[in-house]
Amino acid sequence: MENQKNELLARYKCRQMILTLLPLAALIVLFAVLCITVQSKGYRLDMYLKIIFNESVVLAVVATGATFIYTLGSFDISLGASTLFSAACGVMAYNATGSMAVMLLVLFAVAVGCSLASSVLASVFGVPVFVTTVAMMSVLSAVSAQIITTNGGALGGISIPSEVVKPFDVIWFKVLVLAVFVAVCIFLFDFTRVGRRQKFLGGNPVCAKLTGINLNKYAIIAFVMAGIGVGIGAFLTLVYTPSVTTGTASSIGMNIIVAIVFGGMPISGGPRSRIYAALVGGFSYIMLNNILKILIDTNAGYGISQVVSAVFFLAVVYLTGLNYRSQLLPR
């Protein structure tokens, strides 16, 4: 009997390990498929890798900050609009002052301010998060569009001189920024009571409240971390493309949800939330999108690629769900 229990426990641990490593394995497979696909089409591999890296870094940074929100069992689909609005305000600040320091100050202040506005509406006034994020997304998109069309035109957008950000448009700098931000987030998330209590709140908010944990306090911290991620993402966006149009960062808000799931983290949040999920999932999702764009180049390609992405998304949700299903409800 004891041997049978040990065998079942060993099988369970093995399955858990396999499912935990599955997102990383999928990332490696997608990278190999990307390289094979690009070379088979006769395209330049270095060019595609650079494009994918720049897109992935922005998504990974913003998604890493957003992980704090999703851990609470909440979400924020206005992060793409916040990134656009922050970048637009940063460009306007630089054009008005000619100072990089002022641009960065305005960019991060606006990013954190937008997140705090959502947090205050959701936490303090008790407005449902879905309502606040949809409202913020609509407002920020409209204001950004007005700024861009008024100062530069809808097509041309607004921009800063490329030589201002060119020194930062190097791989080592972007890797350093990503690594530092991820390291800070991992420290807060795994080695401080902030992360532990946020996981507790996401896993069982009723018990967390009964133990005296203040939901509003940790929700505000989560939105501030997301705002910092948005600020970094907006800056990296300007480094790669020193201009802002109405389409800048338009899909980040929804892509974050997909990226986090691709990384193996449950949308419900809780104790099974992981910072690395945003990092792995962000790169995986961008690679998958580019592979589909290369393979599907017909007029109906966009629709087909969306269907394929949806199928992948559902498959990943099912497979990663096996990692946290149990006989007990998570909440």
Side-chain angles (χ1 to χ4, degrees):
M1 186 67 177
E2 187 68 24
N3 291 335
Q4 186 178 5
K5 288 183 178 179
N6 292 334
E7 184 179 352
L8 290 175
L9 180 61
R11 288 181 181 178
Y12 174 78
K13 289 182 177 179
C14 181
R15 189 183 70 172
Q16 294 294 96
M17 182 177 295
I18 292 174
L19 291 173
T20 300
L21 295 176
L22 188 61
L24 182 59
L27 175 62
I28 296 173
V29 171
L30 284 172
F31 179 75
V33 172
L34 174 71
C35 294
I36 295 172
T37 303
V38 171
Q39 291 180 336
S40 66
K41 291 287 186 178
Y43 301 145
R44 288 181 55 186
L45 180 60
D46 60 333
M47 179 187 70
Y48 266 94
L49 290 179
K50 182 178 180 181
I51 294 173
I52 290 172
F53 174 78
N54 283 288
E55 293 178 356
S56 300
V57 165
V58 175
L59 178 58
V61 165
V62 180
T64 298
T67 302
F68 287 87
I69 297 177
Y70 285 82
T71 298
L72 295 173
S74 186
F75 64 96
D76 187 350
I77 61 174
S78 67
L79 294 176
S82 297
T83 305
L84 168 61
F85 184 59
S86 302
C89 290
V91 170
M92 294 298 296
Y94 180 85
N95 290 336
T97 64
S99 171
M100 171 69 89
V102 173
M103 183 188 80
L104 291 175
L105 180 62
V106 170
L107 192 146
F108 279 96
V110 170
V112 174
C114 290
S115 287
L116 283 176
S118 298
S119 176
V120 169
L121 290 173
S123 301
V124 178
F125 295 104
V127 180
V129 176
F130 175 79
V131 176
T132 60
T133 56
V134 170
M136 287 296 295
M137 181 178 64
S138 301
V139 171
L140 294 177
S141 297
V143 174
S144 301
Q146 183 63 32
I147 293 174
I148 293 170
T149 54
T150 301
N151 295 276
L155 297 178
I158 55 178
S159 61
I160 57 177
S162 59
E163 58 269 17
V164 173
V165 292
K166 188 175 181 180
F168 304 102
D169 192 16
V170 288
I171 293 179
W172 69 264
F173 175 77
K174 297 174 183 179
V175 171
L176 178 63
V177 171
L178 176 63
V180 170
F181 183 62
V182 171
V184 170
C185 290
I186 289 176
F187 174 75
L188 290 175
F189 201 71
D190 294 330
F191 300 100
T192 69
R193 66 180 182 180
V194 171
R196 291 192 294 269
R197 291 186 175 184
Q198 286 183 336
K199 293 174 188 176
F200 190 12
L201 284 164
N204 197 321
V206 175
C207 285
K209 184 177 180 180
L210 292 175
T211 58
I213 297 177
N214 190 331
L215 173 60
N216 292 341
K217 173 184 175 181
Y218 290 97
I220 290 174
I221 293 175
F223 277 90
V224 168
M225 292 303 299
I228 295 173
V230 167
I232 298 174
F235 173 66
L236 293 177
T237 299
L238 291 176
V239 167
Y240 179 53
T241 307
S243 62
V244 179
T245 66
T246 54
T248 299
S250 59
S251 60
I252 284 182
M254 296 304 298
N255 288 350
I256 289 172
I257 302 175
V258 182
I260 288 177
V261 172
F262 270 36
M265 173 178 158
I267 299 179
S268 59
R272 296 177 180 84
S273 302
R274 299 290 184 270
I275 289 294
Y276 68 79
L279 184 64
V280 174
F283 278 85
S284 296
Y285 180 66
I286 296 298
M287 283 187 188
L288 176 61
N289 264 354
N290 281 271
I291 290 171
L292 294 176
K293 288 178 182 178
I294 296 172
L295 293 176
I296 306 172
D297 53 3
T298 61
N299 293 331
Y302 177 78
I304 297 175
S305 65
Q306 292 299 304
V307 172
V308 175
S309 296
V311 172
F312 268 93
F313 177 74
L314 293 175
V316 171
V317 169
Y318 174 77
L319 291 174
T320 54
L322 295 174
N323 197 25
Y324 54 86
R325 288 177 186 169
S326 66
Q327 294 179 349
L328 298 176
L329 294 175
R331 292 176 180 270

